[in-house]
Amino acid sequence: MPCGEKYNELVELSNSENTEIKEKADVCQTAIGLLVVDVL
């Protein structure tokens, strides 16, 4: 699965009604954002 598809899946999961899944997806998105900022 390409990175874009995985990111879109994380976006969907971050909108989950399941609090645990939402929190984990949000942490992953934050980590990805930090990696991108570090690269730039």
Side-chain angles (χ1 to χ4, degrees):
M1 179 182 304
C3 291
E5 288 180 30
K6 288 184 180 187
Y7 183 78
N8 289 337
E9 184 177 348
L10 279 174
V11 171
E12 289 178 30
L13 290 173
S14 71
N15 294 321
S16 173
E17 292 183 18
N18 183 321
T19 307
E20 184 178 354
I21 291 174
K22 178 180 174 29
E23 289 175 359
K24 288 181 179 183
D26 288 344
V27 167
C28 288
Q29 285 181 303
T30 301
I32 290 169
L34 292 173
L35 289 172
V36 170
V37 169
D38 189 43
V39 171
L40 298 175

